[in-house]
Amino acid sequence: MGKVETALSCAQKAVESGSDPASLVVRGRCHLLLGHLQEALEDAREALKMDPSLVKAVLVQAESLYGMGEFERSLVLFHRGARKRPDLTSFTRGIHKAREAIINAIGGDKFPEAEETTTGRSMTEGSGSSGHSHTTTVPTISFTDPKSAKAASKRLLGGLSKDKEFLVSLLGRRSLRQEVVTVDGGGQVTHTSCQVAAVAKEALSSLQHLESFMWQRDPGDSTGRPGAVDGGAGKTLLQKEREKKERARLKVTLRRRTAILLQQLHQDADVEETLRAAEELVAEVKSVGVGGRLLCRLLVGVGVALPKCNRHEDAIAVLTDAVHIARASEYGEEEHMAVEALGRTLANRGQHAEAVSVWERRIPAAKNSRQRASLFLLIAKSYFAMRKVETGRFYGTKSVQEADDGQDTRTALSALLTLVDADARQDNEEGALKNLEKCIPHLPSAPPDLLDEYKALRKQLCKEETSS
């Protein structure tokens, strides 16, 4: 329902009232949703100490590390969790996004394959449980031009870029490499330079992690500037203007090709050939770096079509990509489309609980009544499919209310017909007839498919009424 803080309060009471590690996992999930990454990580670690078989604790731990920019460690945990529970698509999606983040961070187009080295059989990431220390490699961003590196750092870190420059300069001083030993009156020995260097290195490492995390969300170009194709060094104004016009023409062409392919994916029953063309277009749009919204819509179209070719896992990965891109770029409409499509894909596979979780997380960010009505309707249908009738009826009623507020006739009628069908299945003839009567004001502007559904339900209820 989006009430994460209330859930956190309840989880806190559960932790305080007993020693069940599952309550720590729930509290960790709440912290994760609220952005409290360190607290979520600590809860997951504590839960795994108590019960190393808690797979959901591994998921919380992996998501926390991903959010903190520890992509390599999170990838290892996503893989371990997937081996334990291959049925949980959360681990599959986690593997995909962690790999993408690493590829973006190192600036390549292919994932660097390497063997995963593990010690012991624990599912924790190795610190604390195995007894072996490990060194975290700080991802760095390399530029051949110092000016480009400085510009990229300023764009990614903002005001903290000056702090990074100061720390780099400080650690490069010769005086800091020389150990200064002082003895106070009590005979206490202090190694001043070592302490300063240690603190400076730790602070610089944190800033490098933050810089790398921000960069994988928006890599920019070779100069570190967002959305540019070329650094522009040595180019005349005429050349730059020509490139700008060419880029605009390319964007128009890609938009037209995308529209044609999306229409074909929607209409054709046999989409395999069209799907190959669409996937090639996705790669082309990514390579030229134009049209973030266009890329999101294309990914959603491909993700919706993939299950027609029995590529369900690929569909989930592609739609998850679309959600992340839209969310990072704050494309509200595209994110809503991607979330709805991802949930539908999960629901069509019978994973209704996961579908509901995807849709519920979107509700607080829904921009208007129409979006909320659509989400409530999808959630209601999944709860009815899980035979949780009362919960489904609750969300169905909320969908009707939101749709009426947003003057969304189609969604309002669809929600009412869903409630009618649910009541009919429960032999609640009175409730079904009441909801059927509420459909009447929406019929004049109803689309043909919903009119046919209304007539079929009315005919069914009239027969039952006559026979009774």
Side-chain angles (χ1 to χ4, degrees), residues 266-323:
H266 181 69
Q267 293 176 346
D268 297 348
D270 184 11
V271 298
E272 194 165 346
E273 188 175 343
T274 309
L275 197 53
R276 279 198 295 270
E279 288 178 308
E280 290 174 3
L281 184 57
V282 167
E284 186 178 344
V285 172
K286 283 184 176 180
S287 66
V288 298
V290 298
R293 293 182 187 275
L294 188 69
L295 176 60
C296 289
R297 290 179 181 272
L298 185 56
L299 286 172
V300 171
V302 171
V304 170
L306 281 168
K308 296 178 183 178
C309 301
N310 293 320
R311 294 171 60 185
H312 299 282
E313 289 298 331
D314 288 342
I316 291 171
V318 168
L319 291 170
T320 303
D321 251 3
V323 171

Side-chain angles (χ1 to χ4, degrees), residues 54-108:
L54 277 175
V55 180
K56 289 191 176 180
V58 179
L59 181 59
V60 172
Q61 193 174 28
E63 291 286 1
S64 302
L65 289 169
Y66 177 83
M68 297 165 78
E70 299 277 0
F71 306 123
E72 297 89 345
R73 292 168 65 190
S74 70
L75 179 60
V76 171
L77 290 172
F78 281 130
H79 271 295
R80 291 180 187 175
R83 285 198 293 269
K84 292 285 183 179
R85 286 287 302 276
D87 57 310
L88 286 181
T89 56
S90 300
F91 286 116
T92 307
R93 293 197 297 270
I95 290 169
H96 181 78
K97 70 181 182 182
R99 286 170 67 98
E100 285 292 317
I102 292 169
I103 290 170
N104 286 337
I106 64 177

Side-chain angles (χ1 to χ4, degrees), residues 120-139:
R121 297 183 181 179
S122 172
M123 289 194 298
T124 61
E125 85 272 26
S127 61
S129 60
S130 64
H132 298 287
S133 62
H134 65 276
T135 303
T136 303
T137 303
V138 179

Side-chain angles (χ1 to χ4, degrees), residues 141 152-153 156-157 164 207-215:
I141 306 166
S153 184
L156 297 168
L157 293 176
K164 182 188 171 187
L207 288 176
Q208 287 173 334
H209 273 297
L210 176 60
E211 186 177 47
S212 177
F213 178 66
M214 297 303 295
W215 187 69

Side-chain angles (χ1 to χ4, degrees), residues 350-380:
Q351 297 173 258
H352 292 286
E354 289 196 17
V356 167
S357 177
V358 168
W359 291 323
E360 284 182 336
R361 284 200 294 270
R362 172 63 189 165
I363 291 172
K367 286 188 174 181
N368 50 51
S369 296
R370 287 174 173 258
Q371 289 188 357
R372 286 190 291 273
S374 176
L375 291 168
F376 286 143
L377 175 56
L378 291 168
I379 293 169

Side-chain angles (χ1 to χ4, degrees), residues 373-392:
S374 176
L375 291 168
F376 286 143
L377 175 56
L378 291 168
I379 293 169
K381 288 181 177 180
S382 278
Y383 273 121
F384 284 135
M386 291 187 286
R387 297 183 180 179
K388 296 182 179 181
V389 180
E390 290 304 318
T391 310

Side-chain angles (χ1 to χ4, degrees), residues 317-335:
V318 168
L319 291 170
T320 303
D321 251 3
V323 171
H324 285 283
I325 292 170
R327 188 171 295 159
S329 304
E330 297 182 356
Y331 299 150
E333 189 65 33
E334 285 72 17
E335 183 184 351

